[in-house]
């Protein structure tokens, strides 16, 4: 396990299909550390980096920021997804996207504002 920040290992953000693709944008990693710090609870990336094939399998958008390591779908242990999304919005502001889903929150660092509900 390769540690890439105080609370995360590289493997946690690797493509879930098992292809071995990994790599996460440093700005996103920093945002996730902020989320960890805010709630003082473990942050799990249910989906982060995706290869093209896996992105299609999970029905991701064609230009998904998961393809470039700029997006993560996260859950925070013991914290409702709505609360996580509220904090992510205040954190990322106009620098990225926040998607509200039942049970998880999508956060990305695309460089411009995006908000939606899944
Ligand atoms: Zn893959
Ligand atoms: Zn996502």
């Amino acid at each position: 396990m390769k540690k890439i920040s105080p609370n995360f290992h590289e493997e946690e953000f690797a493509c879930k299909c098992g292809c071995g693709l990994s790599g996460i944008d440093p700005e996103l990693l920093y945002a996730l550390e902020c989320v960890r710090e805010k709630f003082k609870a473990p942050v799990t990336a249910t989906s982060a980096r995706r290869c093209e094939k896996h992105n299609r399998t999970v029905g991701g958008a064609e230009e998904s920021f998961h393809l470039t390591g700029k997006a993560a779908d996260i859950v925070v242990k013991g914290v409702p997804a709505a609360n996580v999304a509220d904090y992510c919005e205040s954190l990322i502001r106009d620098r990225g996207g926040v998607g509200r889903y039942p049970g998880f929150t999508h956060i990305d660092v695309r460089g411009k504002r995006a908000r939606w509900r899944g």
Side-chain angles (χ1 to χ4, degrees), residues 81-82 85-86 89 98-102 104-106 114-118:
D86 287 344
E89 288 189 349
V98 176
R100 292 170 179 267
Y101 293 84
F104 72 91
T105 302
H106 168 108
R115 300 288 187 269
W116 69 94
R117 278 175 193 275

Side-chain angles (χ1 to χ4, degrees), residues 10-116:
E10 187 173 33
E11 290 82 356
E12 297 176 67
F13 306 107
C15 182
K16 302 290 183 193
C17 89
C19 65
L21 185 68
S22 67
I24 177 173
D25 188 287
E27 190 185 351
L28 178 61
L29 185 59
Y30 177 74
L32 298 182
E33 282 289 356
C34 293
V35 175
R36 172 75 177 74
E37 199 50 39
K38 163 74 179 174
F39 295 107
K40 307 270 187 246
V43 175
T44 303
T46 56
S47 186
R49 191 73 190 267
R50 293 175 192 160
C51 65
E52 299 258 356
K53 183 163 168 271
H54 185 57
N55 190 53
R56 275 194 299 274
T57 304
V58 299
E62 208 160 302
E63 300 295 322
S64 172
F65 289 90
H66 285 280
L67 292 168
T68 51
K70 288 179 179 289
D73 298 336
I74 59 170
V75 295
V76 182
K77 194 175 184 185
V79 182
N83 297 24
V84 176
D86 287 344
Y87 176 68
C88 286
E89 288 189 349
S90 71
L91 177 70
I92 217 76
R93 297 175 180 274
D94 291 339
R95 299 190 308 275
V98 176
R100 292 170 179 267
Y101 293 84
F104 72 91
T105 302
H106 168 108
I107 179 170
D108 68 60
V109 291
R110 67 181 67 192
K112 60 178 186 178
R113 187 188 185 89
R115 300 288 187 269
W116 69 94

